Amino acid sequence: MTALSAPPPPKIRLFVDAPLAAGAAPALSAEQSHYLLHVMRAQPGSEVALFNGRDGEWRAVLVEAGKRVARLAVSTLLRPQRPEPDLWLVFAPVKRARIDIIAEKATELGVSALVPVLTRHTAAGRVNEQRLRSIAVEAAEQSQRLTVPEVFGYRPLDAVLADWPKERRLILLDETGGGQSVAEAFSGGAAEPAALLVGPEGGFAKSELDAIGGLAFASSIGLGPRILRADTAVIAALACFQALCGDWRSHPPSRN
Amino acid sequence: MTALSAPPPPKIRLFVDAPLAAGAAPALSAEQSHYLLHVMRAQPGSEVALFNGRDGEWRAVLVEAGKRVARLAVSTLLRPQRPEPDLWLVFAPVKRARIDIIAEKATELGVSALVPVLTRHTAAGRVNEQRLRSIAVEAAEQSQRLTVPEVFGYRPLDAVLADWPKERRLILLDETGGGQSVAEAFSGGAAEPAALLVGPEGGFAKSELDAIGGLAFASSIGLGPRILRADTAVIAALACFQALCGDWRSHPPSRN
């Protein structure tokens, strides 16, 4: 059977804040305009896919390529909005290069929020939330996500735990090898809302582990016999969660 | 009950080529001597853990700190040798920074061999096998492995497939979203020997996918609805394999 197929979705994807609907003319930032016009060398008539985390993904066409500003016109809906799994990543900041990896990979792996926390053994005095957000936007564009993970403000772990929404399961990645195996812990399938918690390179302090151990919504998992770096542990645990409890039984948009 | 506990294992771990046994005096390379004496500032009497991939892990003591060369004396066995899961990673080289991530993370996640292959859409003309090996050694030291993954020479994919050992299952990471879900594909548990195969950023050519699809030992898995970068896909799939089919039901040595 032969069917008339829709034109392929545009290769360039951009996240915008503005509402999206047929006929809309969302503004691009100066950086996005530069990227579109001078890096990707888009011309009037070039197509772009736009998403804003609320209104789905839309096809848009470049109608004016000024020196500094690109103007787009939104035409048709490519994909309706759908949520990512409700999965937070709570993490102690590590060295710059590895925190970039964590933000990029966690976005590709579908987290809904990045929650940086200060722990006893955390080395990083501050967190550049704007940078985390930029990395998350780029990874969302590249990975075909329809949302960008929220980036929470940097707060002490004990403050975050004191405010914790009790219905959200907190899963500690225990690098000392305690906790259930991943296969056991995630065998039950869907378990949202959830959060994975990973400590700094030096691990959690004993007092922190004791405090977490006493929380009714918390449990811990071990990630096998080898010691993983914090960024590896994050990616590994997120992948296992999505494969067993999340949305990995579905396919990329090109298959749907 | 109180037990006399063994002294903690040394913090510094080094991989050596020489045989290890009580009384052995293995040579360190110039780089290792420099690292031990000038970076870690080890003094005569400082302890080091040594492994060579064959004889288990041994406690050794620094007996002479010369200007350029460190001399060690091996004392007692810390851990007997045990194999990693027999899991190869077959991968098309990607950009330098991401190939470094792949080598580091795959080692932490317990692969037994790194197998770089040239595909139709591979961008990298050559592969620095020595560099891959160095990264693997460092990640093995850091992750408490007792082996270092073998690094195979860079060869065309079709040559590697033509020589393929038929008893080794080949699992293609299909970024187009084809293939079984991870949960289904890995639900059977232990399935060694195995190999994961990941393509370049541009994906495999149709002719390559067709050729792989015709191999009796090959199958393919999908990694969910988001498009993952090659390095993310590698880490994600290795973690799922180890959690469900590999050795993630065991614990780090400090727990054993």
Side-chain angles (χ1 to χ4, degrees):
Chain A
M1 196 172 82
T2 313
L4 280 172
S5 59
K11 293 245 161 80
I12 304 172
R13 291 185 90 232
L14 293 174
F15 175 79
V16 294
D17 273 327
L20 294 173
L28 293 187
S29 69
E31 290 78 13
Q32 288 177 320
S33 296
H34 172 77
Y35 170 77
L36 189 59
L37 299 177
H38 303 120
V39 179
M40 301 305 290
R41 299 182 183 278
Q43 303 288 335
S46 292
E47 289 192 332
V48 179
L50 299 177
F51 67 109
N52 63 6
R54 306 182 303 276
D55 301 324
E57 182 177 41
W58 291 78
R59 190 186 294 272
V61 65
L62 180 62
V63 289
E64 191 189 327
K67 199 150 189 189
R68 295 247 171 72
V69 179
R71 279 180 217 289
L72 298 171
V74 175
S75 56
T76 52
L77 184 66
L78 288 164
R79 284 192 286 161
Q81 190 67 37
R82 62 169 203 92
E84 311 297 330
D86 186 359
L87 176 62
W88 293 359
L89 174 66
V90 185
F91 65 105
V94 287
K95 275 185 274 177
R96 165 86 166 255
R98 291 186 192 273
I99 206 175
D100 289 359
I101 292 175
I102 287 176
E104 175 184 292
K105 303 311 187 203
T107 303
E108 290 179 53
L109 292 169
V111 303
S112 55
L114 294 166
V115 186
V117 291
L118 177 68
T119 71
R120 297 278 153 77
H121 298 164
T122 302
R126 56 182 289 278
V127 168
N128 187 337
E129 288 142 24
Q130 205 46 54
R131 182 178 170 85
L132 288 183
R133 167 89 180 165
S134 298
I135 293 170
V137 166
E138 194 183 323
E141 290 172 344
Q142 183 270 335
S143 66
Q144 305 285 334
R145 277 180 70 136
L146 292 179
T147 60
V148 172
E150 208 175 335
V151 177
F152 286 21
Y154 188 33
R155 297 170 66 205
L157 175 62
D158 51 9
V160 169
L161 293 179
D163 285 356
W164 194 261
K166 303 292 180 278
E167 75 286 0
R168 183 176 297 273
R169 198 177 153 200
L170 178 67
I171 304 157
L172 169 73
L173 311 188
D174 184 351
E175 83 288 348
T176 68
Q180 277 191 299
S181 74
V182 167
E184 287 161 13
F186 293 164
S187 65
E192 302 168 52
L196 295 182
L197 169 61
V198 62
E201 294 287 354
F204 289 103
K206 170 119 195 350
S207 61
E208 290 171 325
L209 289 175
D210 289 346
I212 295 164
L215 299 169
F217 49 82
S219 58
S220 65
I221 58 172
L223 298 177
R226 288 163 295 274
I227 304 296
L228 305 181
R229 289 184 189 272
D231 56 340
T232 316
V234 163
I235 305 166
L238 288 173
C240 292
F241 183 95
Q242 296 292 26
L244 298 175
C245 306
D247 63 4
W248 272 20
R249 283 180 173 84
S250 58
H251 300 290
S254 57
R255 283 267 162 175
N256 289 336
Chain B
M1 195 171 85
T2 312
L4 279 173
S5 58
K11 292 246 160 78
I12 303 172
R13 290 186 91 231
L14 293 174
F15 175 79
V16 295
D17 273 326
L20 293 173
L28 293 187
S29 69
E31 292 77 13
Q32 287 177 321
S33 296
H34 173 77
Y35 169 78
L36 189 60
L37 299 176
H38 304 121
V39 179
M40 301 307 289
R41 299 180 182 279
Q43 303 288 335
S46 293
E47 288 191 333
V48 180
L50 299 177
F51 66 110
N52 63 5
R54 306 181 303 275
D55 300 324
E57 182 177 42
W58 291 79
R59 189 184 295 272
V61 65
L62 179 62
V63 288
E64 190 190 327
K67 202 152 188 188
R68 295 246 171 74
V69 178
R71 281 182 215 288
L72 298 171
V74 175
S75 57
T76 53
L77 185 67
L78 288 163
R79 285 191 285 160
Q81 190 66 36
R82 65 172 199 89
E84 311 295 330
D86 185 359
L87 177 62
W88 293 0
L89 174 66
V90 185
F91 65 104
V94 288
K95 275 184 275 177
R96 164 86 167 254
R98 290 186 192 273
I99 207 176
D100 289 358
I101 293 175
I102 287 176
E104 175 184 291
K105 302 314 186 200
T107 302
E108 290 179 53
L109 292 168
V111 302
S112 54
L114 294 166
V115 186
V117 291
L118 176 69
T119 72
R120 297 279 153 77
H121 298 163
T122 302
R126 57 181 288 278
V127 168
N128 187 336
E129 287 141 26
Q130 207 44 56
R131 181 177 171 86
L132 288 183
R133 167 88 180 168
S134 299
I135 293 171
V137 166
E138 193 183 323
E141 290 171 345
Q142 183 270 335
S143 66
Q144 306 284 333
R145 277 181 69 138
L146 291 180
T147 60
V148 173
E150 206 176 335
V151 178
F152 286 22
Y154 188 34
R155 296 170 68 205
L157 175 62
D158 50 9
V160 170
L161 293 179
D163 285 355
W164 194 261
K166 303 291 179 280
E167 73 287 358
R168 183 176 297 273
R169 200 178 152 199
L170 177 67
I171 304 158
L172 168 73
L173 313 187
D174 184 350
E175 83 288 348
T176 69
Q180 277 192 300
S181 74
V182 167
E184 287 161 12
F186 293 164
S187 63
E192 301 169 52
L196 295 182
L197 169 61
V198 63
E201 294 287 354
F204 289 103
K206 171 122 194 349
S207 61
E208 290 171 326
L209 290 175
D210 289 346
I212 296 164
L215 300 170
F217 50 82
S219 59
S220 66
I221 57 171
L223 299 176
R226 288 164 296 274
I227 304 295
L228 306 182
R229 288 183 190 271
D231 56 339
T232 316
V234 163
I235 305 167
L238 287 174
C240 292
F241 183 95
Q242 297 292 25
L244 297 174
C245 306
D247 63 3
W248 272 21
R249 284 180 172 83
S250 58
H251 300 290
S254 56
R255 283 267 163 174
N256 290 340

